[in-house]
Amino acid sequence: MSPVTFTYFGLMAKGFGPIMCLETHGVEWVGKSVAFENWPEMKKSGVCPFGQLPILECEHGVVAQSQTVMRYVARKVPAAGGKDEKEGIVSDMLLGLSEDIFDALAKAQPTLLAPKKDAEGVKTFWDETLPGKLSHLEAFLKGEDSFTSSGVTIGELALWCILHMMVVVGPSCLDKTPKTKAFYTRILNLPSTQKVITGKTSFGDLPSFFVKAE
């Protein structure tokens, strides 16, 4: 079978999780980075089912939505979805949580496209919203550094990606949750992760979408 093709903007945001899943689970893939100036023409072409990125071109046609792409990986590599139904449920829970945290971060934190955000909103996220989310994660880990037997289900990788996006702009954000930090560090040190974050996949570099508040 030919490699699948994953297309997204050249930054670390919604496409980060699918890239991590494809690379970690050994799916043969090719990455295509789209410059912002080329997006209007691509959008007009109709290639994107819902008029947005990311997309995955595979044997089933064009797949839209980042979490759908991650679930595609779990269908191709069943272990990526967990060894059994219980682990699959845990993975899905983490997928949902990662989306919740991403949405909250995107609302509060300055980005490359919106470098000015309300200072009070930024403070509320880091001082109140995030600690609450992390306290639940810390309890859910139950003394381990993984949520499933493999430790790299698509849900765990999606969660790791949002943790990494936060660490880039708030390096000490995991310091008060040692189990969550151990989970983050374990996946950070995987060869596949290092290949992704150092820009050595076919997709290339992934600069941070989120930027530090002024």
Side-chain angles (χ1 to χ4, degrees), residues 30-164:
V30 174
K32 291 175 66 175
S33 175
V34 177
F36 284 115
E37 59 266 28
N38 295 331
W39 169 235
E41 182 178 353
M42 183 179 183
K43 184 176 182 179
K44 187 178 178 180
S45 74
V47 68
C48 302
F50 300 145
Q52 60 190 31
L53 293 176
I55 59 170
L56 182 80
E57 298 168 78
C58 66
E59 70 273 24
H60 305 299
V62 179
V63 177
Q65 300 289 338
S66 59
Q67 290 200 4
T68 306
V69 175
M70 289 185 270
R71 289 188 171 101
Y72 167 87
V73 173
R75 289 186 176 94
K76 300 301 291 184
V77 184
K83 71 176 183 179
D84 54 26
E85 186 175 19
K86 181 178 180 180
E87 288 197 353
I89 290 170
V90 169
S91 178
D92 281 348
M93 289 168 62
L94 296 176
L95 270 179
L97 179 64
S98 67
E99 189 78 1
D100 289 346
I101 298 175
F102 182 94
D103 289 345
L105 179 64
K107 182 178 179 180
Q109 189 69 21
T111 68
L112 290 173
L113 300 181
K116 301 284 188 181
K117 291 286 183 76
D118 176 64
E120 189 61 33
V122 175
K123 186 176 187 302
T124 298
F125 174 81
W126 292 100
D127 292 352
E128 298 177 24
T129 304
L130 181 61
K133 300 289 188 185
L134 292 180
S135 69
H136 292 305
L137 276 176
E138 194 76 354
F140 197 42
L141 273 164
K142 297 182 175 66
E144 305 292 336
D145 64 357
S146 63
F147 297 88
T148 69
S149 56
S150 74
V152 287
T153 59
I154 59 172
E156 286 165 297
L157 293 174
L159 175 63
W160 183 87
C161 287
I162 185 59
L163 293 178
H164 185 67

